[in-house]
Short mmCIF file of all heavy atoms in Angstrom, two decimals:
data_model
loop_
_atom_site.label_atom_id
_atom_site.label_comp_id
_atom_site.label_asym_id
_atom_site.label_seq_id
_atom_site.Cartn_x
_atom_site.Cartn_y
_atom_site.Cartn_z
N LEU F 79 8.05 20.05 4.08
CA LEU F 79 7.81 21.47 3.89
C LEU F 79 8.79 22.00 2.86
O LEU F 79 9.99 21.68 2.88
CB LEU F 79 7.97 22.23 5.18
CG LEU F 79 6.93 21.90 6.30
CD1 LEU F 79 7.39 22.53 7.56
CD2 LEU F 79 5.55 22.36 5.84
N CYS F 80 8.33 22.89 1.98
CA CYS F 80 9.11 23.51 0.98
C CYS F 80 9.13 25.04 1.19
O CYS F 80 8.29 25.72 0.63
CB CYS F 80 8.62 23.17 -0.40
SG CYS F 80 8.66 21.41 -0.82
N PRO F 81 10.06 25.55 1.92
CA PRO F 81 10.14 27.00 2.13
C PRO F 81 10.87 27.62 0.94
O PRO F 81 11.50 26.93 0.13
CB PRO F 81 10.97 27.13 3.38
CG PRO F 81 11.88 25.95 3.37
CD PRO F 81 11.09 24.85 2.75
N SER F 83 14.00 29.16 -1.00
CA SER F 83 15.34 28.64 -0.83
C SER F 83 16.20 29.41 0.11
O SER F 83 17.14 28.82 0.69
CB SER F 83 16.00 28.59 -2.23
OG SER F 83 16.08 29.86 -2.83
N LEU F 86 16.17 27.77 3.50
CA LEU F 86 16.45 26.33 3.66
C LEU F 86 17.34 26.05 4.84
O LEU F 86 17.13 25.05 5.58
CB LEU F 86 17.07 25.77 2.39
CG LEU F 86 16.10 25.56 1.21
CD1 LEU F 86 16.88 25.15 0.01
CD2 LEU F 86 15.07 24.47 1.54
N GLN F 90 16.29 23.71 7.81
CA GLN F 90 17.10 22.50 8.07
C GLN F 90 17.46 22.41 9.54
O GLN F 90 17.39 21.38 10.18
CB GLN F 90 18.31 22.54 7.19
CG GLN F 90 19.20 21.30 7.39
CD GLN F 90 20.52 21.41 6.60
OE1 GLN F 90 21.05 22.49 6.46
NE2 GLN F 90 21.05 20.28 6.14
N GLU F 99 10.22 16.43 6.89
CA GLU F 99 11.33 16.50 6.00
C GLU F 99 11.33 17.83 5.20
O GLU F 99 10.34 18.58 5.26
CB GLU F 99 11.27 15.31 5.00
CG GLU F 99 11.39 13.98 5.74
CD GLU F 99 11.32 12.79 4.80
OE1 GLU F 99 10.53 12.85 3.87
OE2 GLU F 99 11.99 11.82 5.08
N LEU F 100 12.46 18.09 4.57
CA LEU F 100 12.66 19.35 3.89
C LEU F 100 12.61 19.17 2.40
O LEU F 100 13.11 18.19 1.84
CB LEU F 100 14.02 19.93 4.30
CG LEU F 100 14.36 21.33 3.87
CD1 LEU F 100 13.33 22.30 4.42
CD2 LEU F 100 15.74 21.73 4.29
N GLY F 101 11.98 20.13 1.71
CA GLY F 101 11.92 20.11 0.27
C GLY F 101 12.15 21.49 -0.28
O GLY F 101 12.34 22.48 0.42
N ALA F 102 12.20 21.54 -1.63
CA ALA F 102 12.47 22.84 -2.33
C ALA F 102 11.32 23.02 -3.34
O ALA F 102 10.69 22.11 -3.82
CB ALA F 102 13.79 22.83 -3.01
N GLN F 103 11.10 24.31 -3.71
CA GLN F 103 10.01 24.67 -4.59
C GLN F 103 10.40 24.64 -6.05
O GLN F 103 9.49 24.67 -6.89
CB GLN F 103 9.52 26.09 -4.23
CG GLN F 103 9.07 26.26 -2.84
CD GLN F 103 8.65 27.71 -2.57
OE1 GLN F 103 8.43 28.51 -3.42
NE2 GLN F 103 8.54 28.02 -1.28
N ASN F 104 11.65 24.60 -6.38
CA ASN F 104 12.06 24.63 -7.74
C ASN F 104 13.57 24.23 -7.80
O ASN F 104 14.22 24.19 -6.81
CB ASN F 104 11.86 26.06 -8.32
CG ASN F 104 12.11 26.21 -9.79
OD1 ASN F 104 11.86 25.23 -10.56
ND2 ASN F 104 12.59 27.34 -10.24
N ALA F 119 20.38 21.26 -8.27
CA ALA F 119 19.95 20.11 -7.47
C ALA F 119 20.97 19.73 -6.45
O ALA F 119 20.67 19.41 -5.30
CB ALA F 119 19.62 18.91 -8.39
N MET F 121 23.05 21.71 -4.91
CA MET F 121 22.97 22.69 -3.82
C MET F 121 21.84 22.31 -2.86
O MET F 121 21.96 22.36 -1.64
CB MET F 121 22.76 24.09 -4.38
CG MET F 121 23.92 24.59 -5.16
SD MET F 121 23.50 26.20 -5.90
CE MET F 121 25.00 26.53 -6.86
N LEU F 122 20.68 21.99 -3.42
CA LEU F 122 19.51 21.61 -2.60
C LEU F 122 19.82 20.38 -1.75
O LEU F 122 19.43 20.30 -0.59
CB LEU F 122 18.31 21.38 -3.46
CG LEU F 122 17.74 22.60 -4.25
CD1 LEU F 122 16.60 22.21 -5.16
CD2 LEU F 122 17.39 23.75 -3.32
N ALA F 123 20.53 19.41 -2.36
CA ALA F 123 20.85 18.22 -1.63
C ALA F 123 21.70 18.48 -0.46
O ALA F 123 21.66 17.84 0.61
CB ALA F 123 21.47 17.19 -2.59
N GLU F 124 22.60 19.45 -0.56
CA GLU F 124 23.51 19.86 0.53
C GLU F 124 22.78 20.35 1.74
O GLU F 124 23.27 20.28 2.87
CB GLU F 124 24.53 20.87 0.05
CG GLU F 124 25.67 20.28 -0.82
CD GLU F 124 26.82 21.22 -0.93
OE1 GLU F 124 26.59 22.47 -1.14
OE2 GLU F 124 27.97 20.75 -0.84
N PHE F 125 21.59 20.89 1.51
CA PHE F 125 20.79 21.42 2.63
C PHE F 125 19.84 20.37 3.18
O PHE F 125 18.88 20.65 3.97
CB PHE F 125 20.02 22.67 2.23
CG PHE F 125 20.86 23.87 2.21
CD1 PHE F 125 21.52 24.26 1.03
CD2 PHE F 125 21.10 24.64 3.33
CE1 PHE F 125 22.36 25.41 0.99
CE2 PHE F 125 21.93 25.76 3.31
CZ PHE F 125 22.54 26.18 2.12
N GLY F 126 20.00 19.11 2.75
CA GLY F 126 19.13 18.03 3.27
C GLY F 126 17.77 17.92 2.65
O GLY F 126 16.88 17.22 3.23
N CYS F 127 17.59 18.52 1.48
CA CYS F 127 16.31 18.39 0.84
C CYS F 127 16.10 16.96 0.34
O CYS F 127 17.04 16.33 -0.24
CB CYS F 127 16.16 19.28 -0.38
SG CYS F 127 16.07 21.00 0.05
N ARG F 128 14.89 16.42 0.58
CA ARG F 128 14.57 15.07 -0.01
C ARG F 128 13.62 15.27 -1.22
O ARG F 128 13.63 14.45 -2.09
CB ARG F 128 13.88 14.21 1.08
CG ARG F 128 13.44 12.85 0.52
CD ARG F 128 12.75 11.98 1.50
NE ARG F 128 12.25 10.84 0.82
CZ ARG F 128 11.43 9.89 1.43
NH1 ARG F 128 11.10 10.04 2.69
NH2 ARG F 128 10.99 8.82 0.76
N TRP F 129 12.83 16.30 -1.21
CA TRP F 129 11.74 16.50 -2.19
C TRP F 129 12.01 17.79 -2.94
O TRP F 129 12.40 18.77 -2.37
CB TRP F 129 10.38 16.57 -1.51
CG TRP F 129 10.17 15.49 -0.49
CD1 TRP F 129 10.49 15.53 0.79
CD2 TRP F 129 9.64 14.18 -0.70
NE1 TRP F 129 10.11 14.39 1.46
CE2 TRP F 129 9.64 13.52 0.53
CE3 TRP F 129 9.13 13.52 -1.79
CZ2 TRP F 129 9.15 12.21 0.72
CZ3 TRP F 129 8.67 12.25 -1.67
CH2 TRP F 129 8.67 11.62 -0.42
N VAL F 130 11.70 17.82 -4.22
CA VAL F 130 11.78 19.01 -5.03
C VAL F 130 10.54 19.11 -5.91
O VAL F 130 10.30 18.25 -6.73
CB VAL F 130 13.05 19.09 -5.88
CG1 VAL F 130 13.09 20.43 -6.64
CG2 VAL F 130 14.32 18.83 -5.07
N VAL F 155 17.08 16.23 -10.45
CA VAL F 155 16.68 15.92 -9.06
C VAL F 155 17.00 14.46 -8.73
O VAL F 155 17.60 14.19 -7.68
CB VAL F 155 15.19 16.22 -8.82
CG1 VAL F 155 14.74 15.70 -7.50
CG2 VAL F 155 14.96 17.73 -8.96
N ALA F 158 20.66 13.77 -8.23
CA ALA F 158 21.18 14.25 -6.93
C ALA F 158 20.64 13.44 -5.73
O ALA F 158 20.92 13.83 -4.62
CB ALA F 158 20.80 15.72 -6.80
N GLY F 159 19.88 12.41 -6.03
CA GLY F 159 19.41 11.56 -4.92
C GLY F 159 18.18 12.03 -4.24
O GLY F 159 17.84 11.56 -3.13
N MET F 160 17.44 12.94 -4.84
CA MET F 160 16.16 13.43 -4.27
C MET F 160 15.00 12.99 -5.09
O MET F 160 15.15 12.39 -6.14
CB MET F 160 16.27 14.96 -4.23
CG MET F 160 17.39 15.51 -3.34
SD MET F 160 17.48 17.36 -3.37
CE MET F 160 18.00 17.65 -5.10
N THR F 161 13.81 13.31 -4.63
CA THR F 161 12.56 12.90 -5.29
C THR F 161 11.87 14.08 -5.95
O THR F 161 11.55 15.04 -5.28
CB THR F 161 11.57 12.28 -4.27
OG1 THR F 161 12.21 11.11 -3.65
CG2 THR F 161 10.30 11.85 -4.94
#
Side-chain angles (χ1 to χ4, degrees):
L79 293 171
C80 298
S83 60
L86 284 173
Q90 180 187 32
E99 297 177 325
L100 189 60
Q103 299 177 18
N104 187 33
M121 294 173 182
L122 297 177
E124 284 195 318
F125 282 93
C127 289
R128 178 181 173 187
W129 314 89
V130 183
V155 170
M160 300 177 293
T161 299

